[in-house]
Amino acid sequence: LVSGHEFDWIASLARRVARDSRVSVGIGDDAAVLFGGPRDWLVTVDMLLEDVHFTRDMPMTLVGRKALAVNLSDISAMAGDPVAAVVALALPRDANDRLADDLMAGLGDLADEFHVAIVGGDTNVADKLTVSVTLLGHPTGRGPVGRGGARPGDVLCVTGQLGYSLLGRHLTFPPRVHEAQRLHQLVDLHAMIDLSDGIGSDLFHLADRSGCGFLVDAAAIPIHSPTRKDDRSPLDHAVNDGEDFELLFCVSAEDADRLTAEQPLGTAITAIGRAVAEPGVFWTKEGTREAMPRGGFVHRWA
Ligand SMILES: [Mg+2]
């Protein structure tokens, strides 16, 4: 891969980016310039690595899509409004010409769908394919929703169904950006996180940041029906697979009743437990209360 290829790629990136009223200087200078305005910025970054988050035999359009989608999910977890992204690619030495184009096509289509301006990029060469996307956005409504606002008595709710993401949805999931903004308009969201690693991990983050505990009703957790069965239970898949990218959030009991009765999102809202004063994460399974094992998907290194 010669440097000319990099300039081609950035030029093709620039061609597909439309003029955007939020962007003063886009691709083509040493840095992009965004109009600041009086609002705060949300900033998040996610890096997808070959053989960790995807393999080379997967469609590169879907890998590109996922690289932006995971960032959109993080912005959604703050009930934010995505604005602009920069994209860094490490291309494998043996990459063919189509790889970067396909990646960008998938990423660009999702950017268009969520009105995200791609304002810069960089390419490099490495042993394996790496895609890193940094996404900026604005808080909406009552401001950013953090992980730390759950209080005892709150009801814990989740959107959609969980589990079995590796059967395909980890590449095609819809980021819950609009759903989160709608929730933020309708109710006072005390705390929220997106389920990137699974309840078995992400619920512990809510507990740690909020300084409270949780009691989950295992039977209430909404689970995708598996298209393929293995020796793990559906509940284990729902709690520990990760990459569902659904929203896990805490609201008052009254607001939870309203949301679950009215179902205003077009995707299901399910109450699965409540916040308690006692620290720790517990669940009831077949009438027995026990500590939920801390699991979920954790990136490990030697
Ligand atoms: Mg997150």
Side-chain angles (χ1 to χ4, degrees):
L1 196 86
V2 293
S3 61
H5 192 113
E6 171 177 357
F7 298 133
D8 286 350
W9 181 75
I10 293 173
S12 74
L13 193 66
R15 273 195 298 277
R16 69 165 292 144
V17 176
R19 293 193 69 81
D20 190 304
S21 61
R22 301 164 300 181
V23 179
S24 170
V25 177
I27 293 168
D29 216 308
D30 294 292
V33 182
L34 306 183
F35 291 111
R39 299 165 78 186
D40 290 341
W41 287 99
L42 306 171
V43 182
T44 184
V45 63
D46 250 294
M47 186 162 52
L48 296 193
L49 305 173
E50 181 180 346
D51 295 333
V52 177
H53 304 93
F54 63 88
T55 53
R56 196 90 73 79
D57 57 0
M58 292 173 179
M60 283 299 127
T61 49
L62 291 182
V63 172
R65 179 192 189 279
K66 180 174 181 176
L68 178 60
V70 294
N71 282 280
L72 286 167
S73 185
D74 275 327
I75 293 287
S76 82
M78 310 292 285
D81 188 26
V83 173
V86 290
V87 183
L89 274 186
L91 291 167
R93 288 168 219 290
D94 57 342
N96 59 36
D97 283 348
R98 285 202 51 193
L99 190 147
D101 292 345
D102 285 352
L103 266 175
M104 215 49 233
L107 198 156
D109 286 350
L110 192 67
D112 291 346
E113 186 184 332
F114 282 89
H115 190 39
V116 171
I118 296 168
V119 294
D122 187 28
T123 58
N124 233 308
V125 176
D127 292 334
K128 290 189 176 183
L129 175 60
T130 301
V131 194
S132 175
V133 176
T134 301
L135 181 61
L136 292 88
H138 288 308
T140 64
R142 280 166 281 214
V145 179
R147 300 175 174 182
R151 16 196 201 269
D154 281 359
V155 171
L156 181 69
C157 296
V158 69
T159 59
Q161 280 93 36
L162 311 180
Y164 301 98
S165 60
L166 272 175
L167 295 180
R169 269 190 337 283
H170 75 109
L171 289 173
T172 58
F173 67 91
R176 298 299 189 192
V177 172
H178 305 304
E179 290 84 353
Q181 290 183 22
R182 183 90 182 106
L183 285 172
H184 201 30
Q185 287 171 345
L186 291 172
V187 295
D188 183 10
L189 292 165
H190 295 173
M192 189 154 67
I193 190 169
D194 64 316
L195 286 171
S196 52
D197 297 329
I199 287 178
S201 173
D202 293 321
L203 182 54
F204 288 80
H205 296 313
L206 282 185
D208 292 345
R209 292 282 290 191
S210 294
C212 66
F214 284 97
L215 178 60
V216 172
D217 175 7
I221 295 172
I223 308 176
H224 268 288
S225 342
T227 52
R228 228 183 293 153
K229 290 213 165 131
D230 57 20
D231 52 6
R232 292 171 54 211
S233 72
L235 182 64
D236 181 20
H237 278 284
V239 171
N240 295 311
D241 281 2
E243 302 222 309
D244 300 298
F245 299 106
E246 294 290 350
L247 298 167
L248 183 69
F249 59 96
C250 294
V251 292
S252 72
E254 303 77 61
D255 282 341
D257 285 347
R258 203 179 122 209
L259 291 174
T260 52
E262 293 176 7
Q263 293 294 338
L265 294 188
T267 188
I269 300 170
T270 309
I272 61 166
R274 58 192 167 84
V276 294
E278 182 191 349
V281 177
F282 300 88
W283 56 1
T284 48
K285 289 165 80 177
E286 285 139 27
T288 312
R289 179 189 148 124
E290 46 193 79
M292 186 189 288
R294 194 167 191 151
F297 182 82
V298 179
H299 305 286
R300 297 181 196 286
W301 56 91

